[in-house]
mmCIF file of all heavy atoms in Angstrom:
data_model
loop_
_atom_site.group_PDB
_atom_site.id
_atom_site.type_symbol
_atom_site.label_atom_id
_atom_site.label_comp_id
_atom_site.label_asym_id
_atom_site.label_seq_id
_atom_site.Cartn_x
_atom_site.Cartn_y
_atom_site.Cartn_z
ATOM 1 N N VAL A 8 0.845 -1.190 0.000
ATOM 2 C CA VAL A 8 0.000 0.000 0.000
ATOM 3 C C VAL A 8 0.881 1.241 0.000
ATOM 4 O O VAL A 8 1.818 1.345 0.803
ATOM 5 C CB VAL A 8 -0.945 0.013 1.219
ATOM 6 C CG1 VAL A 8 -1.785 1.291 1.229
ATOM 7 C CG2 VAL A 8 -1.845 -1.223 1.193
ATOM 8 N N ALA A 9 0.603 2.162 -0.900
ATOM 9 C CA ALA A 9 1.354 3.407 -1.001
ATOM 10 C C ALA A 9 0.417 4.593 -0.785
ATOM 11 O O ALA A 9 -0.700 4.609 -1.317
ATOM 12 C CB ALA A 9 2.022 3.518 -2.368
ATOM 13 N N GLY A 10 0.882 5.561 -0.014
ATOM 14 C CA GLY A 10 0.087 6.766 0.224
ATOM 15 C C GLY A 10 0.231 7.748 -0.919
ATOM 16 O O GLY A 10 0.670 8.883 -0.743
ATOM 17 N N THR A 11 -0.124 7.283 -2.102
ATOM 18 C CA THR A 11 0.008 8.088 -3.313
ATOM 19 C C THR A 11 -1.263 7.969 -4.142
ATOM 20 O O THR A 11 -2.160 7.200 -3.827
ATOM 21 C CB THR A 11 1.197 7.595 -4.166
ATOM 22 O OG1 THR A 11 1.021 6.195 -4.439
ATOM 23 C CG2 THR A 11 2.516 7.786 -3.440
ATOM 24 N N GLY A 12 -1.288 8.712 -5.220
ATOM 25 C CA GLY A 12 -2.435 8.675 -6.124
ATOM 26 C C GLY A 12 -2.381 9.883 -7.022
ATOM 27 O O GLY A 12 -1.781 10.902 -6.662
ATOM 28 N N TYR A 13 -3.000 9.791 -8.187
ATOM 29 C CA TYR A 13 -2.862 10.873 -9.150
ATOM 30 C C TYR A 13 -4.202 11.523 -9.436
ATOM 31 O O TYR A 13 -4.650 11.575 -10.577
ATOM 32 C CB TYR A 13 -2.214 10.350 -10.429
ATOM 33 C CG TYR A 13 -1.259 11.353 -11.017
ATOM 34 C CD1 TYR A 13 -0.198 11.836 -10.263
ATOM 35 C CD2 TYR A 13 -1.429 11.857 -12.296
ATOM 36 C CE1 TYR A 13 0.680 12.777 -10.771
ATOM 37 C CE2 TYR A 13 -0.559 12.792 -12.817
ATOM 38 C CZ TYR A 13 0.496 13.247 -12.051
ATOM 39 O OH TYR A 13 1.358 14.181 -12.567
ATOM 40 N N THR A 14 -4.834 12.001 -8.366
ATOM 41 C CA THR A 14 -6.133 12.647 -8.525
ATOM 42 C C THR A 14 -6.191 14.030 -7.890
ATOM 43 O O THR A 14 -7.169 14.741 -8.071
ATOM 44 C CB THR A 14 -7.246 11.804 -7.871
ATOM 45 O OG1 THR A 14 -6.987 11.712 -6.460
ATOM 46 C CG2 THR A 14 -7.301 10.412 -8.472
ATOM 47 N N GLY A 15 -5.163 14.408 -7.135
ATOM 48 C CA GLY A 15 -5.206 15.662 -6.399
ATOM 49 C C GLY A 15 -5.872 15.534 -5.045
ATOM 50 O O GLY A 15 -5.930 16.479 -4.273
ATOM 51 N N GLU A 16 -6.391 14.347 -4.735
ATOM 52 C CA GLU A 16 -7.030 14.083 -3.449
ATOM 53 C C GLU A 16 -6.151 13.152 -2.618
ATOM 54 O O GLU A 16 -5.240 12.503 -3.131
ATOM 55 C CB GLU A 16 -8.400 13.430 -3.647
ATOM 56 C CG GLU A 16 -9.487 14.379 -4.105
ATOM 57 C CD GLU A 16 -10.032 15.245 -2.982
ATOM 58 O OE1 GLU A 16 -9.533 15.150 -1.849
ATOM 59 O OE2 GLU A 16 -10.959 16.019 -3.259
ATOM 60 N N ASP A 17 -6.444 13.069 -1.331
ATOM 61 C CA ASP A 17 -5.747 12.144 -0.454
ATOM 62 C C ASP A 17 -6.235 10.723 -0.742
ATOM 63 O O ASP A 17 -7.293 10.516 -1.325
ATOM 64 C CB ASP A 17 -6.017 12.510 1.004
ATOM 65 C CG ASP A 17 -5.157 11.695 1.962
ATOM 66 O OD1 ASP A 17 -4.086 11.219 1.548
ATOM 67 O OD2 ASP A 17 -5.571 11.543 3.129
ATOM 68 N N GLY A 18 -5.441 9.763 -0.308
ATOM 69 C CA GLY A 18 -5.831 8.367 -0.472
ATOM 70 C C GLY A 18 -4.630 7.472 -0.622
ATOM 71 O O GLY A 18 -3.494 7.887 -0.370
ATOM 72 N N VAL A 19 -4.864 6.246 -1.025
ATOM 73 C CA VAL A 19 -3.795 5.256 -1.180
ATOM 74 C C VAL A 19 -3.997 4.475 -2.474
ATOM 75 O O VAL A 19 -5.080 4.478 -3.063
ATOM 76 C CB VAL A 19 -3.743 4.267 0.008
ATOM 77 C CG1 VAL A 19 -3.570 4.997 1.328
ATOM 78 C CG2 VAL A 19 -4.985 3.384 0.042
ATOM 79 N N GLU A 20 -2.910 3.791 -2.860
ATOM 80 C CA GLU A 20 -2.969 2.842 -3.958
ATOM 81 C C GLU A 20 -2.599 1.472 -3.392
ATOM 82 O O GLU A 20 -1.577 1.333 -2.718
ATOM 83 C CB GLU A 20 -2.019 3.247 -5.074
ATOM 84 C CG GLU A 20 -2.453 4.540 -5.750
ATOM 85 C CD GLU A 20 -1.470 5.007 -6.799
ATOM 86 O OE1 GLU A 20 -0.298 5.267 -6.450
ATOM 87 O OE2 GLU A 20 -1.871 5.110 -7.975
ATOM 88 N N ILE A 21 -3.428 0.478 -3.671
ATOM 89 C CA ILE A 21 -3.237 -0.864 -3.126
ATOM 90 C C ILE A 21 -2.817 -1.798 -4.251
ATOM 91 O O ILE A 21 -3.583 -2.027 -5.196
ATOM 92 C CB ILE A 21 -4.535 -1.378 -2.473
ATOM 93 C CG1 ILE A 21 -5.048 -0.399 -1.416
ATOM 94 C CG2 ILE A 21 -4.313 -2.754 -1.863
ATOM 95 C CD1 ILE A 21 -6.417 -0.763 -0.863
ATOM 96 N N ALA A 22 -1.600 -2.332 -4.157
ATOM 97 C CA ALA A 22 -1.129 -3.341 -5.110
ATOM 98 C C ALA A 22 -1.466 -4.702 -4.529
ATOM 99 O O ALA A 22 -0.933 -5.114 -3.497
ATOM 100 C CB ALA A 22 0.366 -3.201 -5.336
ATOM 101 N N VAL A 23 -2.377 -5.398 -5.189
ATOM 102 C CA VAL A 23 -2.921 -6.641 -4.665
ATOM 103 C C VAL A 23 -2.654 -7.771 -5.674
ATOM 104 O O VAL A 23 -2.696 -7.535 -6.891
ATOM 105 C CB VAL A 23 -4.442 -6.487 -4.395
ATOM 106 C CG1 VAL A 23 -5.177 -6.006 -5.621
ATOM 107 C CG2 VAL A 23 -5.047 -7.784 -3.896
ATOM 108 N N PRO A 24 -2.333 -8.990 -5.209
ATOM 109 C CA PRO A 24 -2.175 -10.097 -6.156
ATOM 110 C C PRO A 24 -3.396 -10.218 -7.056
ATOM 111 O O PRO A 24 -4.540 -10.126 -6.586
ATOM 112 C CB PRO A 24 -2.033 -11.314 -5.237
ATOM 113 C CG PRO A 24 -1.462 -10.761 -3.974
ATOM 114 C CD PRO A 24 -2.084 -9.404 -3.815
ATOM 115 N N ALA A 25 -3.142 -10.385 -8.349
ATOM 116 C CA ALA A 25 -4.225 -10.334 -9.329
ATOM 117 C C ALA A 25 -5.333 -11.335 -9.030
ATOM 118 O O ALA A 25 -6.518 -11.033 -9.210
ATOM 119 C CB ALA A 25 -3.661 -10.554 -10.731
ATOM 120 N N ASP A 26 -4.962 -12.517 -8.546
ATOM 121 C CA ASP A 26 -6.000 -13.524 -8.314
ATOM 122 C C ASP A 26 -6.844 -13.229 -7.079
ATOM 123 O O ASP A 26 -7.852 -13.902 -6.831
ATOM 124 C CB ASP A 26 -5.392 -14.922 -8.230
ATOM 125 C CG ASP A 26 -4.322 -15.033 -7.154
ATOM 126 O OD1 ASP A 26 -4.086 -14.052 -6.423
ATOM 127 O OD2 ASP A 26 -3.706 -16.121 -7.052
ATOM 128 N N SER A 27 -6.444 -12.220 -6.285
ATOM 129 C CA SER A 27 -7.235 -11.817 -5.119
ATOM 130 C C SER A 27 -7.879 -10.445 -5.303
ATOM 131 O O SER A 27 -8.550 -9.944 -4.401
ATOM 132 C CB SER A 27 -6.349 -11.783 -3.868
ATOM 133 O OG SER A 27 -5.807 -13.049 -3.584
ATOM 134 N N ALA A 28 -7.661 -9.839 -6.464
ATOM 135 C CA ALA A 28 -8.141 -8.472 -6.689
ATOM 136 C C ALA A 28 -9.662 -8.367 -6.571
ATOM 137 O O ALA A 28 -10.189 -7.391 -6.036
ATOM 138 C CB ALA A 28 -7.675 -7.978 -8.049
ATOM 139 N N GLN A 29 -10.366 -9.375 -7.062
ATOM 140 C CA GLN A 29 -11.833 -9.327 -7.006
ATOM 141 C C GLN A 29 -12.319 -9.300 -5.562
ATOM 142 O O GLN A 29 -13.263 -8.560 -5.224
ATOM 143 C CB GLN A 29 -12.437 -10.523 -7.740
ATOM 144 C CG GLN A 29 -13.963 -10.488 -7.828
ATOM 145 C CD GLN A 29 -14.474 -9.369 -8.716
ATOM 146 O OE1 GLN A 29 -14.079 -9.296 -9.891
ATOM 147 N NE2 GLN A 29 -15.313 -8.498 -8.186
ATOM 148 N N ASP A 30 -11.692 -10.082 -4.683
ATOM 149 C CA ASP A 30 -12.110 -10.114 -3.278
ATOM 150 C C ASP A 30 -11.880 -8.756 -2.614
ATOM 151 O O ASP A 30 -12.748 -8.263 -1.871
ATOM 152 C CB ASP A 30 -11.331 -11.191 -2.519
ATOM 153 C CG ASP A 30 -11.689 -12.600 -2.978
ATOM 154 O OD1 ASP A 30 -12.796 -12.771 -3.535
ATOM 155 O OD2 ASP A 30 -10.862 -13.505 -2.793
ATOM 156 N N VAL A 31 -10.720 -8.151 -2.865
ATOM 157 C CA VAL A 31 -10.432 -6.841 -2.283
ATOM 158 C C VAL A 31 -11.388 -5.797 -2.858
ATOM 159 O O VAL A 31 -11.928 -4.955 -2.131
ATOM 160 C CB VAL A 31 -8.965 -6.451 -2.524
ATOM 161 C CG1 VAL A 31 -8.690 -5.026 -2.036
ATOM 162 C CG2 VAL A 31 -8.033 -7.438 -1.822
ATOM 163 N N TRP A 32 -11.624 -5.863 -4.152
ATOM 164 C CA TRP A 32 -12.556 -4.929 -4.802
ATOM 165 C C TRP A 32 -13.942 -5.037 -4.166
ATOM 166 O O TRP A 32 -14.560 -4.015 -3.825
ATOM 167 C CB TRP A 32 -12.626 -5.249 -6.295
ATOM 168 C CG TRP A 32 -13.674 -4.473 -7.053
ATOM 169 C CD1 TRP A 32 -14.998 -4.776 -7.167
ATOM 170 C CD2 TRP A 32 -13.485 -3.268 -7.792
ATOM 171 N NE1 TRP A 32 -15.659 -3.851 -7.930
ATOM 172 C CE2 TRP A 32 -14.743 -2.905 -8.336
ATOM 173 C CE3 TRP A 32 -12.378 -2.466 -8.075
ATOM 174 C CZ2 TRP A 32 -14.911 -1.775 -9.135
ATOM 175 C CZ3 TRP A 32 -12.555 -1.340 -8.869
ATOM 176 C CH2 TRP A 32 -13.805 -1.012 -9.392
ATOM 177 N N ASP A 33 -14.438 -6.249 -4.005
ATOM 178 C CA ASP A 33 -15.766 -6.431 -3.424
ATOM 179 C C ASP A 33 -15.835 -5.857 -2.014
ATOM 180 O O ASP A 33 -16.847 -5.251 -1.629
ATOM 181 C CB ASP A 33 -16.125 -7.923 -3.397
ATOM 182 C CG ASP A 33 -16.358 -8.493 -4.789
ATOM 183 O OD1 ASP A 33 -16.586 -7.709 -5.730
ATOM 184 O OD2 ASP A 33 -16.306 -9.735 -4.931
ATOM 185 N N SER A 34 -14.765 -6.011 -1.239
ATOM 186 C CA SER A 34 -14.742 -5.458 0.118
ATOM 187 C C SER A 34 -14.808 -3.938 0.095
ATOM 188 O O SER A 34 -15.491 -3.317 0.918
ATOM 189 C CB SER A 34 -13.475 -5.912 0.851
ATOM 190 O OG SER A 34 -13.456 -7.310 1.008
ATOM 191 N N LEU A 35 -14.121 -3.325 -0.849
ATOM 192 C CA LEU A 35 -14.152 -1.866 -0.966
ATOM 193 C C LEU A 35 -15.542 -1.376 -1.354
ATOM 194 O O LEU A 35 -16.020 -0.355 -0.853
ATOM 195 C CB LEU A 35 -13.120 -1.412 -2.002
ATOM 196 C CG LEU A 35 -11.647 -1.693 -1.671
ATOM 197 C CD1 LEU A 35 -10.760 -1.299 -2.839
ATOM 198 C CD2 LEU A 35 -11.223 -0.969 -0.407
ATOM 199 N N MET A 36 -16.196 -2.097 -2.247
ATOM 200 C CA MET A 36 -17.543 -1.694 -2.665
ATOM 201 C C MET A 36 -18.537 -1.768 -1.504
ATOM 202 O O MET A 36 -19.487 -0.993 -1.427
ATOM 203 C CB MET A 36 -18.033 -2.583 -3.818
ATOM 204 C CG MET A 36 -17.213 -2.503 -5.101
ATOM 205 S SD MET A 36 -17.070 -0.846 -5.819
ATOM 206 C CE MET A 36 -15.409 -0.391 -5.255
ATOM 207 N N GLN A 37 -18.301 -2.695 -0.578
ATOM 208 C CA GLN A 37 -19.230 -2.888 0.531
ATOM 209 C C GLN A 37 -19.213 -1.745 1.536
ATOM 210 O O GLN A 37 -20.145 -1.607 2.332
ATOM 211 C CB GLN A 37 -18.918 -4.208 1.237
ATOM 212 C CG GLN A 37 -19.266 -5.440 0.406
ATOM 213 C CD GLN A 37 -18.761 -6.734 1.021
ATOM 214 O OE1 GLN A 37 -18.280 -6.745 2.155
ATOM 215 N NE2 GLN A 37 -18.851 -7.820 0.262
ATOM 216 N N VAL A 38 -18.163 -0.919 1.528
ATOM 217 C CA VAL A 38 -18.110 0.211 2.467
ATOM 218 C C VAL A 38 -18.429 1.532 1.771
ATOM 219 O O VAL A 38 -18.124 2.611 2.285
ATOM 220 C CB VAL A 38 -16.743 0.295 3.180
ATOM 221 C CG1 VAL A 38 -16.559 -0.919 4.076
ATOM 222 C CG2 VAL A 38 -15.585 0.428 2.189
ATOM 223 N N GLY A 39 -19.030 1.443 0.602
ATOM 224 C CA GLY A 39 -19.534 2.645 -0.060
ATOM 225 C C GLY A 39 -18.548 3.384 -0.926
ATOM 226 O O GLY A 39 -18.785 4.538 -1.307
ATOM 227 N N ILE A 40 -17.423 2.739 -1.247
ATOM 228 C CA ILE A 40 -16.479 3.358 -2.177
ATOM 229 C C ILE A 40 -17.022 3.178 -3.595
ATOM 230 O O ILE A 40 -17.405 2.086 -3.996
ATOM 231 C CB ILE A 40 -15.085 2.729 -2.022
ATOM 232 C CG1 ILE A 40 -14.512 3.100 -0.647
ATOM 233 C CG2 ILE A 40 -14.151 3.178 -3.132
ATOM 234 C CD1 ILE A 40 -13.209 2.428 -0.309
ATOM 235 N N VAL A 41 -17.072 4.275 -4.340
ATOM 236 C CA VAL A 41 -17.711 4.272 -5.660
ATOM 237 C C VAL A 41 -16.648 4.068 -6.737
ATOM 238 O O VAL A 41 -15.626 4.762 -6.749
ATOM 239 C CB VAL A 41 -18.447 5.602 -5.905
ATOM 240 C CG1 VAL A 41 -19.088 5.617 -7.290
ATOM 241 C CG2 VAL A 41 -19.504 5.828 -4.827
ATOM 242 N N PRO A 42 -16.847 3.111 -7.646
ATOM 243 C CA PRO A 42 -15.845 2.869 -8.695
ATOM 244 C C PRO A 42 -15.788 4.000 -9.712
ATOM 245 O O PRO A 42 -16.801 4.645 -10.014
ATOM 246 C CB PRO A 42 -16.313 1.561 -9.336
ATOM 247 C CG PRO A 42 -17.770 1.487 -9.042
ATOM 248 C CD PRO A 42 -17.973 2.166 -7.716
ATOM 249 N N ALA A 43 -14.597 4.244 -10.219
ATOM 250 C CA ALA A 43 -14.391 5.246 -11.273
ATOM 251 C C ALA A 43 -13.252 4.765 -12.158
ATOM 252 O O ALA A 43 -12.318 4.118 -11.681
ATOM 253 C CB ALA A 43 -14.063 6.610 -10.679
ATOM 254 N N GLY A 44 -13.309 5.101 -13.428
ATOM 255 C CA GLY A 44 -12.304 4.639 -14.376
ATOM 256 C C GLY A 44 -11.178 5.629 -14.586
ATOM 257 O O GLY A 44 -11.113 6.689 -13.941
ATOM 258 N N LEU A 45 -10.282 5.299 -15.515
ATOM 259 C CA LEU A 45 -9.125 6.144 -15.783
ATOM 260 C C LEU A 45 -9.521 7.501 -16.351
ATOM 261 O O LEU A 45 -8.827 8.492 -16.147
ATOM 262 C CB LEU A 45 -8.176 5.432 -16.752
ATOM 263 C CG LEU A 45 -7.419 4.228 -16.180
ATOM 264 C CD1 LEU A 45 -6.585 3.570 -17.271
ATOM 265 C CD2 LEU A 45 -6.538 4.650 -15.017
ATOM 266 N N GLY A 46 -10.636 7.558 -17.077
ATOM 267 C CA GLY A 46 -11.092 8.841 -17.595
ATOM 268 C C GLY A 46 -11.424 9.817 -16.477
ATOM 269 O O GLY A 46 -11.104 11.001 -16.559
ATOM 270 N N ALA A 47 -12.053 9.311 -15.421
ATOM 271 C CA ALA A 47 -12.365 10.162 -14.271
ATOM 272 C C ALA A 47 -11.090 10.600 -13.580
ATOM 273 O O ALA A 47 -10.953 11.758 -13.164
ATOM 274 C CB ALA A 47 -13.260 9.400 -13.291
ATOM 275 N N ARG A 48 -10.123 9.687 -13.459
ATOM 276 C CA ARG A 48 -8.854 10.056 -12.827
ATOM 277 C C ARG A 48 -8.152 11.143 -13.625
ATOM 278 O O ARG A 48 -7.569 12.073 -13.058
ATOM 279 C CB ARG A 48 -7.943 8.835 -12.690
ATOM 280 C CG ARG A 48 -6.701 9.129 -11.857
ATOM 281 C CD ARG A 48 -5.673 8.031 -11.921
ATOM 282 N NE ARG A 48 -5.059 7.935 -13.243
ATOM 283 C CZ ARG A 48 -3.942 7.250 -13.490
ATOM 284 N NH1 ARG A 48 -3.348 6.577 -12.519
ATOM 285 N NH2 ARG A 48 -3.440 7.204 -14.704
ATOM 286 N N ASP A 49 -8.205 11.048 -14.958
ATOM 287 C CA ASP A 49 -7.534 12.045 -15.782
ATOM 288 C C ASP A 49 -8.175 13.414 -15.614
ATOM 289 O O ASP A 49 -7.485 14.439 -15.590
ATOM 290 C CB ASP A 49 -7.549 11.624 -17.246
ATOM 291 C CG ASP A 49 -6.640 12.493 -18.095
ATOM 292 O OD1 ASP A 49 -5.436 12.585 -17.771
ATOM 293 O OD2 ASP A 49 -7.119 13.103 -19.061
ATOM 294 N N THR A 50 -9.496 13.453 -15.500
ATOM 295 C CA THR A 50 -10.174 14.728 -15.262
ATOM 296 C C THR A 50 -9.751 15.319 -13.919
ATOM 297 O O THR A 50 -9.482 16.521 -13.816
ATOM 298 C CB THR A 50 -11.701 14.524 -15.280
ATOM 299 O OG1 THR A 50 -12.093 14.032 -16.557
ATOM 300 C CG2 THR A 50 -12.421 15.832 -15.020
ATOM 301 N N LEU A 51 -9.662 14.470 -12.898
ATOM 302 C CA LEU A 51 -9.276 14.944 -11.567
ATOM 303 C C LEU A 51 -7.848 15.476 -11.557
ATOM 304 O O LEU A 51 -7.570 16.535 -10.988
ATOM 305 C CB LEU A 51 -9.422 13.814 -10.553
ATOM 306 C CG LEU A 51 -10.855 13.389 -10.243
ATOM 307 C CD1 LEU A 51 -10.871 12.065 -9.499
ATOM 308 C CD2 LEU A 51 -11.565 14.455 -9.428
#
């Protein structure tokens, strides 16, 4: 986990083993984190 990101906002980037990415993603969605794509990141 790195305390970085390219959106101008605070947060982290989580490098997760690819075969476990879906499980981590599902956990994030369960706490109300809203998905956004690279286009949204570029706008930010």
Side-chain angles (χ1 to χ4, degrees):
V8 178
T11 55
Y13 218 57
T14 62
E16 284 282 3
D17 188 24
V19 303
E20 293 176 300
I21 305 173
V23 54
D26 57 3
S27 299
Q29 185 68 56
D30 293 337
V31 175
W32 173 276
D33 291 342
S34 297
L35 296 175
M36 297 303 101
Q37 290 171 9
V38 294
I40 293 174
V41 179
L45 289 176
R48 188 191 69 165
D49 191 56
T50 299
L51 291 166

